[in-house]
């Protein structure tokens, strides 16, 4: 029996353009994806008895085969003939259905962890190819770099010249289904789409690129998201945006201190989930 414990970080989107709807029902996207240090903790243990057990105990997250971490372990066990099983415990710290990619990160972490535990020797490129069959954001968490993402989110180019930043994540504690957001998205003509810079010298450069095509859909249903964005800027954020399909909003701050003091204030006044986080 061997056990390992791994951190599964979440992400924000500095940019999310929906380019077009594809015949297969997915959308071609263009995103800037950034990992931040709010993490779930995943404990993986090999067992002599075959099979997979997932324990999470977090509201809104299934324990069995419906958990994306279970499916990640299954995908790798099917490629091994070790005859062993895997026990997965998830200590959930990332808000669920929040636009932060928590489930995708858990799946990516299980793929990397089981690959190492069972000494399968799969490369990151091979793990990313398995990952995309589980979820479009899974490859990004194996890539481990700030990325410009194309395709359904799986064609990744590293963006190395992005300044580190302190962000404040604010979640008004309403879950949002990503599928619902895409179903309600009205695509406009995106032919004349702007060029996205590959390098950013300052936080102000980064703030200039902030945009998310999904915001309109989620804000129509939850106007509180617009109010949180405005509040973050009033409280000193250099810029603010909804991440992914929402409802989490992040503000970009100049210092750890300003992010942390805003976090305390908003959590106390409004009861929202607030976390000051560092980019990875
Ligand atoms: P996505 O855009 O991929 O939906 P998200 O951050 O908005 O990302 P997640 O927190 O990943 O949303 O959860 C989406 C759904 O997936 C939830 O409704 C949840 O029930 C289900 N789910 C399955 N496994 C997990 C997991 N390990 N962690 C979180 N949610 C999970």
């Amino acid at each position: 029996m061997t056990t390992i414990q791994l951190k599964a970080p979440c992400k924000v989107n500095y940019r999310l353009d929906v380019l077009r709807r594809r015949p297969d029902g997915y959308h071609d996207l263009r995103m800037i994806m950034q990992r931040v240090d709010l993490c779930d903790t995943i404990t993986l243990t090999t067992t002599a008895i075959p099979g997979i057990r997932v324990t999470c105990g977090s509201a809104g997250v299934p324990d069995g085969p419906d958990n994306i971490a279970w499916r990640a372990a299954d995908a790798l066990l099917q490629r091994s003939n070790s005859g062993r099983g895997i026990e997965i415990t998830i200590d959930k710290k990332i808000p669920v259905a929040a636009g932060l990619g928590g489930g995708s990160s858990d799946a990516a972490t299980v793929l990397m962890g089981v690959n190492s535990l069972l000494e399968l020797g799969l490369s990151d490129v091979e793990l990313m190819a398995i990952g995309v069959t589980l979820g479009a954001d899974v490859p990004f968490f194996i890539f481990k770099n700030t990325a410009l993402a194309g395709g359904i989110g799986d064609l990744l180019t590293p963006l190395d010249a992005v300044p580190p930043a302190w962000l404040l994540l604010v979640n008004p504690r309403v879950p949002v289904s990503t599928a619902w957001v895409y179903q309600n998205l009205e695509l406009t003509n995106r032919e004349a789409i702007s060029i996205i810079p590959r390098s950013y010298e300052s936080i102000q450069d980064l703030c200039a690129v902030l945009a998310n095509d999904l915001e309109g859909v989620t804000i129509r249903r939850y106007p509180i998201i617009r109010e949180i964005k405005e509040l973050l800027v009033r409280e000193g954020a250099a810029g603010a945006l909804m991440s992914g399909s929402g409802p989490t909003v992040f503000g970009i701050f100049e210092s750890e201190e300003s992010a942390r003091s805003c976090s305390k204030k908003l959590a106390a006044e409004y009861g929202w989930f607030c976390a000051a986080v560092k980019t990875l």
Side-chain angles (χ1 to χ4, degrees), residues 60-62 66-68 90 92 95-104 106 178 245:
V61 183
D66 286 338
N67 195 300
I68 189 169
I90 305 174
K92 202 86 200 146
V96 177
L100 297 171
S104 301
D106 292 351
T178 304
S245 48

Side-chain angles (χ1 to χ4, degrees), residues 96-228:
V96 177
L100 297 171
S104 301
S105 184
D106 292 351
T109 303
V110 168
L111 288 178
M112 294 185 283
V114 172
N115 184 42
S116 129
L117 263 182
L118 299 183
E119 297 175 355
L120 300 178
L122 295 166
S123 67
D124 280 357
V125 171
E126 289 171 306
L127 291 177
M128 285 161 73
I130 298 168
V132 75
T133 67
L134 303 169
D137 286 347
V138 177
F140 166 71
F141 290 103
I142 299 169
F143 193 60
K144 296 189 220 84
N145 209 308
T146 303
L148 183 63
I152 59 170
D154 58 326
L155 305 178
L156 300 166
T157 308
L159 289 180
D160 293 318
V162 175
W166 278 90
L167 309 183
L168 173 56
L169 307 181
V170 180
N171 182 294
R173 301 185 193 276
V174 285
V176 170
S177 150
T178 304
W180 174 84
V181 173
Y182 278 103
Q183 277 153 22
N184 287 278
L185 176 69
E186 281 165 33
L187 287 176
T188 49
N189 181 4
R190 310 275 313 173
E191 294 291 317
I193 200 153
S194 57
I195 304 276
I196 296 224
R198 299 291 170 108
S199 69
Y200 302 84
E201 298 222 324
S202 64
I203 282 182
Q204 283 65 35
D205 286 351
L206 206 50
C207 289
V209 86
L210 296 181
N212 181 343
D213 279 346
L214 302 179
E215 259 189 348
V217 180
T218 314
I219 286 179
R220 257 200 311 280
R221 173 96 181 258
Y222 300 107
I224 188 73
I225 292 167
R226 186 193 305 283
E227 290 165 34
I228 295 172

